[in-house]
Amino acid sequence: MAGIGVFRIFDPKVRRHLISDEGEVVIDEVRQHWVVYSVPMLEVALAAALLLTMAATTIGLQPVLLAIVLVLLTHAFWQFLTHHRDRFVVTNMRVMRIRGVFSQTVATTPIARVLDITLKKPIIGRMLGYGHFVFESAAQDQGFREIRWVSRPDDRDLTIQRVIQRTGLRASASVDVLQGDEDSDDDGTGPIGMDSAQEVTTTAPVITTTAPQARPSSSPSATKSIFNSERGNWSDDD
């Protein structure tokens, strides 16, 4: 119970970083997989074994063993806190990564900047249930290039995909690709700074019709038109 209380004290408190007045909510808060705590646990077990050795031996090595035990316990506790405070958070607006024990680092990026996600699951990860996310986005310099030791990676990947899909970004981007647009306003119609009505008005071809006129006299220099509906105008001049 005391250990749980200590970890609550060092909890990163993700919700204090939310934009509550804009309706931002946490969709998923990703903690690192329990496998990252295996090394600290081994260090604690080794420290316990050394303490038992100190109690059972009469050789004058107790100060040395005690120093080793303190080093092991300190390093294990530091690793526990480091992994415990490393959180990857997905909200309905953005993704965040919060890490650090004493000095905290909070990296955020809008969900619109997440372009491609690669999920890597090594053999041991498939057996134990963890994976690594690799983000191809403009935010890779802020700590989002690779998120390691993600528990339940398939479920987390689907969650991120749903959030991106619900924003409508991919749908509008696909429209831009189909229409050959190179804009980034995500309305799927045309250049930046133009709404749909303006783009339709400015890009629609203007077709003017004139009343059919009498066919000019036959001459080598006469110009023929294939846009009139009369059948006679489609034939060549004699």
Side-chain angles (χ1 to χ4, degrees):
M1 296 299 293
I4 296 176
V6 170
F7 281 107
R8 286 181 178 178
I9 294 174
F10 287 97
D11 191 84
K13 298 177 176 59
V14 171
R15 281 166 177 76
R16 75 171 50 171
H17 300 284
L18 299 179
I19 311 175
S20 301
D21 54 348
E22 295 294 336
E24 185 178 18
V25 294
V26 175
I27 303 299
D28 193 9
E29 181 177 348
V30 182
R31 293 176 172 84
Q32 292 186 337
H33 192 264
W34 60 264
V35 73
V36 300
Y37 299 102
S38 58
V39 174
M41 290 297 296
L42 290 176
E43 293 178 345
V44 172
L46 181 58
L50 290 177
L51 288 175
L52 293 177
T53 303
M54 289 174 56
T57 185
T58 58
I59 304 175
L61 297 177
Q62 283 80 0
V64 177
L65 295 177
L66 182 60
I68 296 174
V69 168
L70 292 178
V71 171
L72 289 174
L73 293 179
T74 302
H75 185 264
F77 184 70
W78 179 261
Q79 291 297 316
F80 269 115
L81 291 182
T82 301
H83 295 303
H84 176 70
R85 290 182 60 85
D86 194 341
R87 304 290 176 86
F88 177 67
V89 184
V90 181
T91 73
N92 57 334
M93 297 181 182
R94 53 183 175 157
V95 292
M96 296 186 294
R97 187 179 183 185
I98 304 174
R99 53 182 175 173
V101 179
F102 295 112
S103 59
Q104 189 179 65
T105 301
V106 181
T108 66
T109 187
I111 199 71
R113 299 180 66 184
V114 179
L115 303 179
D116 298 315
I117 303 175
T118 302
L119 175 58
K120 296 182 179 180
K121 294 188 294 182
I123 297 178
I124 300 178
R126 296 182 63 181
M127 296 172 58
L128 300 180
Y130 71 85
H132 311 303
F133 282 118
V134 179
F135 289 87
E136 297 294 339
S137 67
Q140 61 187 20
D141 294 335
Q142 299 181 4
F144 290 103
R145 181 68 176 88
E146 187 174 10
I147 307 296
R148 298 178 58 83
W149 314 112
V150 177
S151 59
R152 295 188 291 114
D154 293 328
D155 296 338
R156 267 55 194 267
D157 181 49
L158 290 177
T159 299
I160 298 173
Q161 300 296 337
R162 290 190 186 100
V163 174
I164 296 176
Q165 189 68 30
R166 287 173 183 175
T167 59
L169 298 174
R170 289 185 174 175
S172 60
S174 62
V175 173
D176 287 339
V177 172
L178 291 176
Q179 294 186 354
D181 294 334
E182 296 180 354
D183 58 339
S184 59
D185 54 355
D186 292 324
D187 63 348
T189 52
I192 301 175
M194 299 177 60
D195 56 14
S196 301
Q198 290 176 338
E199 290 169 357
V200 171
T201 303
T202 57
T203 60
V206 179
I207 301 175
T208 58
T209 58
T210 57
Q213 299 178 356
R215 183 178 179 181
S217 59
S218 300
S219 63
S221 61
T223 304
K224 295 181 291 182
S225 174
I226 64 173
F227 295 102
N228 293 329
S229 60
E230 296 181 0
R231 178 63 181 174
N233 291 341
W234 288 70
S235 59
D236 294 333
D237 293 337
D238 297 332

